[in-house]
Amino acid sequence: MSEPSIIKSAVRNFKALFKADAFEGILLIAVALVAIIIANSGVAGAYRGLFEGSLFGRDFWLSVPGNIDKLMYLDTLHGWINDGLMVIFFFVVGLEVKRELISGNLSDPAQRTLPILAAAAGMAMPILVFLAVTGGASDYRAGMAIPAATDIAFAMGVIGLLGTRVPKSLRLFLLTVAIVDDIGAVAIIAIFYSEPKIMWLLISLGVFLVMLAMNRARVRHLSLFVIATIILWYCVLNSGVHATIAGVLAAFTIPMHSKDGYSMLENVEHSLVPWSAYLVVPIFGFANAGVSLDGLGLSALLDPLPLAIAAGLVVGKQVGIFSTVWASVKLGIVKMPAGCSWPEVWGVSILCGIGFTMSLFIGELAFDGSPFLRDEAKIGILTGSLISAVLGYIVLRLTTTHPEEAADDPNSPVV
């Protein structure tokens, strides 16, 4: 290849990063690295003070009706990000899940069977690996669900780096598994990381039913749904169930279709996806990925908690998903995804071990009262996610050969 051709290919690859799904994954990696560097630099104190410093003061929250302990958590920027801003992320997840259930891949029983089976095994096996590594120790048990989640943006970002070398059927498989995975993660948060208060739960249910009635009445004013969502968020915040669940519930009430073909759900989803991907999730990552490595060497990776989380993501995810796909196909329960090979299925199974956003979120909930264990969990998450991303990329890079698809896409990178 001549020098001008090499330069042309390099420029083409660089541009493709910003046109494909790759950019979201690259952005998350960059944000995480910056957060870790800052948390271990001379401005670490300012970094922690920014997110953990008091915003309003106790006297302010004492004057506000509701669950004082929970509202006091919102006295920090970290609290507003995790319990407030992340509602947008979960709202977008809810919109995506509803759309997929009504008119997408999850609406077709033939197409959803394999991803659902794979996602279920891909959540169960990491938990078993986690418990095996920690020996079921009670100090760590709260974190067993941390390696059960898959980060859609991160995983699809790695796929984006490979351009169209990865078969479309496998990209669709990965996306569907990640969506089902999100449903499971939301259920885990609602069931295992909540301390429900009956009165506020009933009020939240009442608001949710009103929003469903608005849907049935074909209300077309988005502003009414926005107001109702804010009210629902406040009620869920006080209910003891994590506030972000309000985002998922609210999303399920947004109308999908109307008589004239207008889709409020799709319009809202298209409007919010860029904000969620390029603002909400990076801010969350920057606020939560910063872990101090002071006094921690490589030996810290061998501590029970980070080792269990990393092993759950790297080993548990790929073993659970790949073995389930293999068994389901061999037993004739489902068909192999079209146009792909077993090594490619293995590569995608490895990528499902990238658990950045949702794993960090669950880790914050699991070890809320223990900064040391919370930091150890972050080390395990970042390590396991990085290994899964690199290993998955290498396997797919070496096993995918689909030049006919790459030839059809002028924007695909030359890899």
Side-chain angles (χ1 to χ4, degrees):
M1 184 180 290
S2 64
E3 185 174 344
S5 297
I6 294 175
I7 296 175
K8 184 177 180 180
S9 296
V11 172
R12 184 182 177 192
N13 279 336
F14 181 77
K15 289 181 177 179
L17 294 178
F18 297 90
K19 295 178 181 178
D21 295 325
F23 184 66
E24 292 182 35
I26 292 173
L27 179 61
L28 289 181
I29 294 172
V31 166
L33 288 175
V34 170
I36 293 173
I37 292 172
I38 291 177
N40 291 276
S41 69
V43 295
Y47 170 80
R48 287 190 291 270
L50 172 65
F51 295 111
E52 302 297 340
S54 175
L55 296 175
F56 303 102
R58 182 176 178 80
D59 291 340
F60 172 81
W61 292 112
L62 287 174
S63 66
V64 179
N67 180 356
I68 297 301
D69 292 336
K70 190 62 181 176
L71 291 175
M72 282 292 290
Y73 177 66
L74 295 181
D75 192 40
T76 65
L77 186 57
H78 184 269
W80 277 107
I81 291 171
N82 285 20
D83 277 40
L85 191 64
M86 280 297 284
V87 174
I88 298 175
F89 168 78
F90 280 86
F91 183 75
V92 172
V93 168
L95 293 175
E96 187 174 31
V97 169
K98 180 175 179 177
R99 175 175 50 77
E100 291 290 335
L101 287 170
I102 294 176
S103 60
N105 302 310
L106 295 178
S107 65
D108 183 355
Q111 291 190 19
R112 70 184 177 217
T113 300
L114 181 59
I116 289 176
L117 291 175
M123 297 189 76
M125 187 59 70
I127 292 176
L128 294 178
V129 170
F130 179 95
L131 293 175
V133 174
T134 60
S138 58
D139 290 346
Y140 308 125
R141 202 173 299 152
M144 65 181 180
I146 294 174
T150 296
D151 190 291
I152 295 179
F154 215 142
M156 293 304 293
V158 176
I159 292 290
L161 288 173
L162 290 161
T164 52
R165 293 175 61 92
V166 180
K168 294 177 182 178
S169 60
L170 269 187
R171 288 182 236 159
L172 186 61
F173 171 77
L174 174 60
L175 181 61
T176 310
V177 167
I179 290 172
V180 177
D181 206 314
D182 277 346
I183 297 175
V186 168
I188 287 173
I189 292 170
I191 297 172
F192 297 105
Y193 298 104
S194 302
E195 298 177 1
K197 296 175 175 58
I198 301 302
M199 184 188 74
W200 281 104
L201 274 180
L202 292 175
I203 296 174
S204 300
L205 177 61
V207 177
F208 178 62
L209 292 176
V210 169
M211 296 183 72
L212 287 177
M214 291 165 58
N215 181 311
R216 298 285 293 179
R218 300 184 182 277
V219 172
R220 294 283 299 271
H221 298 288
L222 179 60
S223 58
L224 295 178
F225 283 97
V226 172
I227 293 171
T229 298
I230 295 173
I231 296 173
L232 179 63
W233 169 80
Y234 181 79
C235 294
V236 174
L237 176 72
N238 284 281
S239 72
V241 176
H242 199 273
T244 51
I245 300 301
V248 179
L249 293 176
F252 287 162
T253 69
I254 303 299
M256 178 68 180
H257 299 298
S258 62
K259 289 182 178 180
D260 59 4
Y262 169 76
S263 176
M264 181 186 294
L265 185 147
E266 291 184 349
N267 284 354
V268 173
E269 182 183 5
H270 291 160
S271 298
L272 287 181
V273 162
W275 289 98
S276 176
Y278 301 126
L279 183 66
V280 174
V281 173
I283 288 177
F284 169 81
F286 182 69
N288 289 275
V291 53
S292 175
L293 303 177
D294 185 30
L296 297 176
L298 291 177
S299 60
L301 294 175
L302 299 179
D303 287 349
L305 182 59
L307 181 61
I309 292 173
L313 289 170
V314 177
V315 179
K317 273 291 185 180
Q318 63 174 296
V319 169
I321 292 174
F322 183 78
S323 62
T324 299
V325 174
W326 184 87
S328 299
V329 171
K330 294 299 181 181
L331 292 173
I333 299 174
V334 296
K335 294 182 179 180
M336 181 82 157
C340 64
S341 64
W342 284 116
E344 292 171 341
V345 173
W346 177 42
V348 167
S349 300
I350 297 172
L351 288 185
C352 289
I354 301 174
F356 186 80
T357 306
M358 199 68 82
S359 291
L360 284 175
F361 194 85
I362 294 176
E364 288 287 321
L365 299 177
F367 301 113
D368 184 45
S370 176
F372 176 75
L373 290 180
R374 192 168 63 235
D375 283 351
E376 282 211 323
K378 291 177 183 179
I379 293 174
I381 294 167
L382 295 172
T383 302
S385 296
L386 180 61
I387 293 174
S388 295
V390 173
L391 183 59
Y393 176 87
I394 292 174
V395 170
L396 288 172
R397 181 67 181 81
L398 295 177
T399 60
T400 50
T401 53
H402 296 271
E404 71 282 358
E405 289 191 11
D408 293 335
D409 186 355
N411 292 324
S412 64
V414 180
V415 290

